[in-house]
Amino acid sequence: MQTHLLLFCCYIGLSLVLAEGNQTLPNYELSTLMSIKSSLVDPLDNLKDWQMVEKASSSPHCNWIGVWCSSKGSVEKLDLSNMNLSGYVADHIQGLQSLSSLNICCNGFSSSLPKSLSSLTSLKSIDVSQNSFIGNFPTGLGNAEGLTSVNASSNNFSGFLPDDLGNATSLEILDFRGSFFEGSIPTSFKNLQKLKFLGLSGNNLTGKIPAEIGQLSFIETIILGYNEFEGEIPVELGNLTNLKYLDLAVGSLSGQIPPELSRLKQLTTIYLYKNKFTGKIPPEIGNITSLMFLDLSDNQISGEIPAELAGLKNLQLLNLMCNQLIGPIPKKLGELTKLEILELWKNSLTGPLPANLGRNSPLQWLDVSSNSLSGEIPPCLCNSGNLTKLILFNNSFSGPIPIGLAKCMSLIRVRMQSNRISGTIPVGFGDLPKLQRLELADNNLTGQIPEDITMSTLLSFIDVSSNNLKSSLPFTIFSIPNLQSFIASNNNLEGSIPDQFQDCPSLSMLDLSNNSFSGKIPESIASCQKLVNVNLGNNRLTGEIPKALATMPTLAILDLSNNSLIGRIPENFGSSPALEMINLSFNNLEGPVPSNGLLMTINPNELIGNAGLCGGILPPCSQTFAAPPTPRRFNMHIKHIIVGFIVGISIILSLGIAFFSGRWLYRRWNLYNSFIDDLFNKSNEQWPWRLVAFQRISFTSCDILACIKESNLIGMGGTGVVYKAEIHRPHAVIAVKKLWRSRTDVENSNDLLREVNLLGRLRHRNIVRLLGYLHNETDIMVVFEYMANGNLGTALHSKQAGKLLVDWDETVSTVAGSYGYIAPEYGYTLKVNEKTDIYSFGVVLLELVSGKMPLDAAFGESIDIVEWVRRKIKNKRGLEEALDNNIAGDCKHVQEEMLLVLRIALVCTAKLPRDRPSMRDIITMLGEAKPRRKSICHNDRKEKPIFSTSPVIDLL
């Protein structure tokens, strides 16, 4: 009896101990969660229910948002994703010993991850992606035997990839894309025999791609692009029979594409673009019948396009652009029934396009420009009604424009210039609701411009120049609401120019030169407030020059030469606010040339052929055209008599001779900055030209000004005109941009000059270097290096100065590369390298996201934008205060994106050069990081792709 009683008591005692243990564990984890919360910044108060409650039920934390518990009350899953959290992850997280799933993705963490994560040996899944975590990724997770998924993509991790993860042999997903990892791929990863997804793109990884990857027999997706891998593709990848997706794009891989890839019968995607591959395209690739996307663009691949590629029956994208391919396009490519995108431009292909191209496929984008293709354009390109972009320029295509294209409602761009296309422009293009660009220049087109073109609502660019078009322009051609450029030069067009310019508010370029237009210049042309370039030369225009042309605010280039215009040059013509070049030669103009503005320094050749013109820079007018002297001219007359006395000119010359001699001296005064300027500039209302140099130069202001003439014009942009100046003593070639000045600009000259001086500090291999500038009271000319290839400019701008330099090759719309202000170490090293470039680029990024100037009075004395942002970090709201509210507003996801760019900028502007990333890293971060966030503003819960794939798909 006593024995039984003793056993019963022991049982009761053990039960109480177990019960107490079951209560202790949940209470401990509740405290752990509260410690975790204390380290978080939760601006949206998502974790408001994470709080201690008296007399709460057992395990109250199991009902908290983001917390899932087991039946015993222990925390098994913690999901705090998409909560706009920041702060740091506390070491206390190691107390959640039963935790199997941790998800804190899509937040704003910018600290390092705690090393204590290695204690969570029950983890099966961890997701810390789409944050800004820094430092090394914690080691030790390889001890979690059940770990199947690690997603740390889209962060700022650095150091080496964790080698110990090779011990986590249950891993199926390993994603470290979009950070700053360096070194090579650990050989221990070969142990991950269950791995299905390997993502390491967008890092600083180097070396060769390990052949051991070919042992991962279950792998389905390999994404290693945007790194610095070199060498050849391991042939062992041909052993990965389950592989579906292979992305090795953007790196330094070389050699030939291995034909062993043809053994991968489940492969749907191959992205090898922008590497250094050579040799021919393996015809064996045509055996991968599952292939949907093949992008081998931007390499050095040669030879012909294999006919075997026509066997890829599921192919949707074929991109072979920017290689060294020759020969014909295989005819059977036109029979691919799923082909959507065909990119073959910038090769040396010959022969015709496949006759059936687009007949039975949903073709969306065709670009075969810059080849040597010939033959007629296939009539069935838009059979599916999906074609958006048709780009055929710089080939030898002949025959008519297919009528079907004028009925293709999906078309956005049609670019067929520089071919041998004949026939008429088919009716229908004006009815295409999405058409924005129509380029048919430099062909053999005849007939007229169809009337229906005027019905277009989105057309912004029309170029039909250098054809054989005849008849008059459609009367309402300038009523197209979005028309920006209309070029119809070098045709046989006739009749009057339609007087409907008041309906075309966006027009900036009008070129009707070398035609047979007659009648008067329409008065309504002056209503085009954005018109920059007008060329009506070589026509049969009559009547007078409309006086309103002189008031157009942006008109920079005006060519009215070789017409039959009569009357006088409008008195205020030379004072036009933006006018840089004017050609009135070979007309029937008469009377005195106004002595103001541009007309005071105009090249006489631009007025030649007008027998009745006189005065100004031309020989003096007879008494018939003499104008009564104004008080200003009288003062100038007296002043120049004194000048004549000082330099020894005889004081007995007649008043008239002194007057005209004075005018001659006045022009040279402003043009050549002679010694007379120095004597009299204080008493004259206009300043002389002053040259300010940013470095040692071998030319003078006189040398520069002597080259500012029409024959040296090399380009025109939205803020000025660029001239080529060739100096002979000693020989030097420079480029000079004369800025357009509005009245506001003139009033703010001091601010503008300050900014030009700041721009003089710029240094970058992709930016033309400023050598100096000239200025007087009203004008500024920027002097910079002349680029012989003519295709590099800069998009540098400031709030006051506007675009100071422009790309003078108008075919280039953007300038690749970084730009900005010089790094601090330049002051003592006097060396410009990649690290100083990175600093400069970082300053520009800071300008973009803050809306501030590099030097702003609001920063305080001797504080620039870099130091200003660094000080913001110490404030309570931190970097958010530095964002431009005009852009960010209250939209959280926009603020997050701007903060990401701001952080990148701060890394770029690190004080020590060794702490700055490479430009490739920056491009990767900016290019791939932007679309990663979810749209909180519009409640769009659809996850956007973390990384782009082919650049062509991005464009679509």
Side-chain angles (χ1 to χ4, degrees):
M1 183 71 179
Q2 290 178 350
T3 302
H4 289 294
L5 181 62
L6 180 61
L7 290 173
F8 177 75
C9 291
C10 290
Y11 171 77
I12 293 296
L14 179 61
S15 299
L16 290 173
V17 170
L18 291 174
E20 182 179 357
N22 284 337
Q23 289 297 320
T24 301
L25 179 61
N27 289 338
Y28 174 73
E29 290 192 333
L30 185 148
S31 300
T32 298
L33 290 172
M34 292 302 297
S35 297
I36 292 173
K37 179 183 179 181
S38 66
S39 68
L40 302 178
V41 177
D42 182 14
L44 303 181
D45 203 17
N46 284 306
L47 306 181
K48 58 186 176 182
D49 60 345
W50 283 36
Q51 52 185 327
M52 295 289 224
V53 179
E54 294 184 3
K55 299 181 181 180
S57 59
S58 176
S59 306
H61 59 284
C62 292
N63 296 318
W64 289 353
I65 186 171
V67 179
W68 282 260
C69 296
S70 67
S71 58
K72 296 180 180 180
S74 58
V75 177
E76 287 187 335
K77 180 179 179 182
L78 187 61
D79 187 350
L80 305 181
S81 60
N82 291 289
M83 291 187 179
N84 200 28
L85 301 175
S86 57
Y88 64 95
V89 180
D91 275 316
H92 298 90
I93 197 170
Q94 64 184 325
L96 303 178
Q97 284 296 305
S98 299
L99 192 66
S100 62
S101 176
L102 173 62
N103 188 350
I104 54 175
C105 82
C106 310
N107 282 295
F109 293 107
S110 57
S111 59
S112 58
L113 282 174
K115 296 180 180 179
S116 59
L117 284 178
S118 60
S119 302
L120 302 177
T121 55
S122 297
L123 269 182
K124 295 181 179 179
S125 172
I126 179 171
D127 189 346
V128 297
S129 63
Q130 301 187 55
N131 283 285
S132 299
F133 285 115
I134 61 173
N136 294 331
F137 188 83
T139 58
L141 287 178
N143 298 325
E145 295 181 358
L147 190 64
T148 61
S149 176
V150 175
N151 188 352
S153 63
S154 305
N155 279 286
N156 296 329
F157 291 117
S158 56
F160 299 109
L161 293 170
D163 184 78
D164 70 293
L165 282 179
N167 300 324
T169 55
S170 297
L171 263 180
E172 297 179 5
I173 298 174
L174 184 57
D175 194 350
F176 282 121
R177 293 176 291 166
S179 273
F180 301 100
F181 289 110
E182 56 189 26
S184 56
I185 300 176
T187 56
S188 64
F189 284 7
K190 68 181 180 181
N191 301 325
L192 306 177
Q193 290 298 307
K194 295 182 180 180
L195 196 66
K196 296 181 179 180
F197 182 99
L198 177 62
L200 305 177
S201 64
N203 284 286
N204 297 332
L205 300 175
T206 56
K208 295 184 177 182
I209 297 176
E212 288 81 1
I213 288 183
Q215 301 177 21
L216 305 178
S217 56
F218 282 90
I219 197 79
E220 296 178 357
T221 301
I222 295 178
I223 306 177
L224 305 181
Y226 290 87
N227 278 291
E228 299 175 19
F229 294 122
E230 56 187 10
E232 300 184 355
I233 298 176
V235 296
E236 288 81 1
L237 294 189
N239 300 328
L240 304 177
T241 54
N242 289 305
L243 190 64
K244 298 178 181 178
Y245 190 103
L246 177 63
D247 185 350
L248 306 179
V250 189
S252 298
L253 296 173
S254 58
Q256 296 191 1
I257 299 171
E260 286 80 4
L261 294 180
S262 64
R263 301 203 299 259
L264 308 178
K265 301 303 181 182
Q266 298 189 51
L267 201 58
T268 64
T269 303
I270 298 178
Y271 290 141
L272 305 180
Y273 58 87
K274 208 166 185 180
N275 277 286
K276 299 177 181 178
F277 292 115
T278 55
K280 298 181 178 181
I281 300 173
E284 293 86 350
I285 288 183
N287 298 326
I288 313 175
T289 55
S290 57
L291 201 60
M292 300 168 63
F293 305 99
L294 177 60
D295 193 336
L296 310 180
S297 62
D298 248 335
N299 281 287
Q300 301 165 25
I301 300 171
S302 57
E304 297 187 357
I305 301 174
E308 288 81 357
L309 294 187
L312 302 175
K313 301 301 182 182
N314 292 297
L315 197 64
Q316 298 177 28
L317 177 147
L318 177 59
N319 191 350
L320 306 177
M321 68 184 188
C322 300
N323 277 291
Q324 300 168 13
L325 298 170
I326 60 173
I329 301 173
K331 294 181 180 180
K332 290 193 175 181
L333 285 184
E335 299 176 7
L336 294 175
T337 58
K338 296 184 179 180
L339 189 63
E340 298 179 12
I341 301 170
L342 180 59
E343 289 271 339
L344 304 177
W345 59 276
K346 203 175 181 182
N347 281 286
S348 298
L349 300 172
T350 56
L353 288 173
N356 291 323
L357 188 61
R359 184 179 299 278
N360 298 308
S361 66
L363 192 64
Q364 296 182 31
W365 191 332
L366 175 63
D367 189 345
V368 296
S369 58
S370 299
N371 280 286
S372 298
L373 298 169
S374 57
E376 296 192 1
I377 301 170
C380 49
L381 294 177
C382 193
N383 266 22
S384 66
N386 293 315
L387 189 65
T388 60
K389 294 183 175 66
L390 177 61
I391 306 176
L392 309 177
F393 63 83
N394 289 346
N395 280 288
S396 297
F397 290 115
S398 57
I401 299 174
I403 296 177
L405 291 178
K407 300 177 182 178
C408 183
M409 296 297 176
S410 56
L411 272 177
I412 297 175
R413 291 190 177 188
V414 175
R415 305 187 66 190
M416 299 183 181
Q417 68 271 29
S418 299
N419 279 285
R420 300 174 183 174
I421 300 171
S422 57
T424 61
I425 302 174
V427 175
F429 280 119
D431 295 326
L432 304 184
K434 300 179 181 179
L435 189 63
Q436 299 175 12
R437 197 174 185 99
L438 182 62
E439 297 180 61
L440 306 176
D442 197 15
N443 280 291
N444 298 318
L445 296 171
T446 57
Q448 62 183 16
I449 299 175
E451 289 282 346
D452 71 293
I453 288 287
T454 64
M455 304 301 294
S456 176
T457 56
L458 291 181
L459 260 178
S460 62
F461 190 98
I462 300 175
D463 188 354
V464 293
S465 62
S466 299
N467 280 287
N468 298 312
L469 299 175
K470 198 170 184 179
S471 79
S472 59
L473 289 177
F475 182 70
T476 54
I477 188 69
F478 299 120
S479 297
I480 302 175
N482 289 296
L483 187 63
Q484 297 177 15
S485 297
F486 183 78
I487 307 171
S489 58
N490 295 289
N491 280 288
N492 298 312
L493 297 170
E494 56 190 12
S496 60
I497 299 174
D499 195 358
Q500 296 289 324
F501 287 96
Q502 68 275 6
D503 299 323
C504 199
S506 302
L507 190 65
S508 61
M509 158 75 85
L510 176 65
D511 189 348
L512 304 178
S513 61
N514 296 297
N515 281 288
S516 299
F517 290 110
S518 58
K520 296 182 177 182
I521 299 175
E523 292 279 350
S524 64
I525 195 172
S527 64
C528 297
Q529 297 295 300
K530 297 182 180 180
L531 201 53
V532 173
N533 189 332
V534 175
N535 191 343
L536 306 180
N538 288 288
N539 281 287
R540 301 174 183 174
L541 298 174
T542 57
E544 296 186 351
I545 300 174
K547 295 180 180 179
L549 289 180
T551 64
M552 297 177 67
T554 60
L555 184 62
I557 297 178
L558 178 63
D559 191 340
L560 304 179
S561 62
N562 288 280
N563 282 287
S564 299
L565 300 174
I566 61 173
R568 295 192 178 194
I569 299 175
E571 183 64 31
N572 58 345
F573 219 48
S575 301
S576 181
L579 201 59
E580 290 289 340
M581 193 279 286
I582 182 172
N583 191 345
L584 305 177
S585 61
F586 298 101
N587 280 284
N588 297 319
L589 300 172
E590 60 182 5
V593 177
S595 298
N596 52 41
L598 177 66
L599 294 176
M600 295 177 63
T601 57
I602 191 172
N603 189 324
N605 290 333
E606 293 167 347
L607 300 175
I608 197 172
N610 293 279
L613 286 180
C614 58
I617 64 166
L618 299 179
C621 295
S622 64
Q623 192 65 30
T624 306
F625 294 114
T630 62
R632 174 180 175 84
R633 291 185 177 180
F634 179 76
N635 292 337
M636 290 297 298
H637 172 72
I638 297 300
K639 187 177 297 183
H640 286 296
I641 291 177
I642 299 173
V643 172
F645 176 78
I646 294 175
V647 298
I649 297 177
S650 174
I651 59 173
I652 62 173
L653 293 176
S654 66
L655 184 61
I657 296 175
F659 177 80
F660 290 114
S661 298
R663 289 178 60 88
W664 183 86
L665 286 171
Y666 181 75
R667 286 200 308 275
R668 295 306 185 273
W669 186 7
N670 285 305
L671 185 60
Y672 297 116
N673 197 21
S674 65
F675 72 94
I676 299 178
D677 293 314
D678 300 326
L679 293 175
F680 293 100
N681 62 63
K682 292 183 179 180
S683 62
N684 194 295
E685 291 184 4
Q686 281 198 317
W687 297 354
W689 286 102
R690 180 187 176 194
L691 176 61
V692 178
F694 297 132
Q695 55 187 299
R696 185 174 180 179
I697 56 178
S698 59
F699 47 83
T700 66
S701 58
C702 299
D703 295 327
I704 296 173
L705 292 167
C707 297
I708 306 302
K709 52 188 177 182
E710 181 186 358
S711 59
N712 290 336
L713 184 68
I714 58 174
M716 177 269 297
T719 56
V721 174
V722 181
Y723 298 88
K724 176 182 176 181
E726 190 166 358
I727 312 300
H728 299 287
R729 305 186 313 271
H731 186 268
V733 180
I734 58 175
V736 181
K737 178 164 186 181
K738 187 174 182 182
L739 303 180
W740 301 339
R741 310 292 308 286
S742 65
R743 180 175 299 175
T744 303
D745 293 332
V746 174
E747 293 172 353
N748 297 328
S749 286
N750 290 335
D751 295 337
L752 180 55
L753 291 175
R754 256 194 308 272
E755 296 189 2
V756 176
N757 276 289
L758 285 174
L759 291 172
R761 301 169 58 192
L762 291 169
R763 299 290 188 274
H764 193 272
R765 65 175 65 90
N766 289 343
I767 293 184
V768 288
R769 183 172 49 174
L770 268 69
L771 305 177
Y773 65 92
L774 290 87
H775 72 99
N776 61 12
E777 185 179 20
T778 59
D779 294 302
I780 293 180
M781 298 186 190
V782 183
V783 183
F784 51 99
E785 286 183 327
Y786 176 75
M787 306 298 292
N789 58 3
N791 61 6
L792 275 182
T794 176
L796 290 169
H797 63 88
S798 60
K799 290 181 180 177
Q800 293 290 337
K803 294 182 180 177
L804 289 179
L805 309 177
V806 297
D807 186 340
W808 56 85
D809 178 351
E810 291 187 304
T811 64
V812 180
S813 58
T814 57
V815 179
S818 59
Y819 47 84
Y821 292 87
I822 200 69
E825 67 269 15
Y826 178 79
Y828 53 85
T829 65
L830 297 179
K831 294 181 179 179
V832 177
N833 53 35
E834 184 188 18
K835 294 302 182 181
T836 55
D837 297 341
I838 300 304
Y839 185 94
S840 301
F841 184 69
V843 174
V844 176
L845 291 182
L846 291 176
E847 289 185 76
L848 289 173
V849 296
S850 68
K852 301 288 187 182
M853 299 291 297
L855 296 176
D856 194 305
F859 299 160
E861 188 175 354
S862 302
I863 298 177
D864 59 15
I865 192 171
V866 178
E867 181 62 26
W868 178 72
V869 174
R870 285 174 181 163
R871 294 186 180 188
K872 287 290 182 184
I873 300 177
K874 302 176 184 179
N875 295 342
K876 186 176 181 180
R877 290 192 61 202
L879 293 177
E880 292 181 6
E881 290 184 347
L883 300 182
D884 187 348
N885 286 329
N886 294 327
I887 301 176
D890 297 325
C891 192
K892 294 296 181 183
H893 84 276
V894 174
Q895 293 177 2
E896 290 173 1
E897 297 298 341
M898 294 178 69
L899 285 171
L900 175 61
V901 176
L902 193 63
R903 292 187 184 104
I904 294 172
L906 286 174
V907 176
C908 294
T909 54
K911 292 183 178 180
L912 296 178
R914 68 170 181 265
D915 294 335
R916 300 171 198 156
S918 68
M919 182 54 66
R920 175 170 288 177
D921 300 335
I922 298 169
I923 293 173
T924 300
M925 287 186 289
L926 292 176
E928 294 191 340
K930 184 171 178 54
R932 297 170 186 164
R933 298 283 180 191
K934 292 184 178 180
S935 178
I936 299 173
C937 297
H938 300 92
N939 297 319
D940 179 11
R941 305 303 295 174
K942 182 179 180 181
E943 187 71 47
K944 296 181 179 180
I946 294 178
F947 282 89
S948 61
T949 51
S950 170
V952 177
I953 291 183
D954 277 348
L955 289 172
L956 284 177

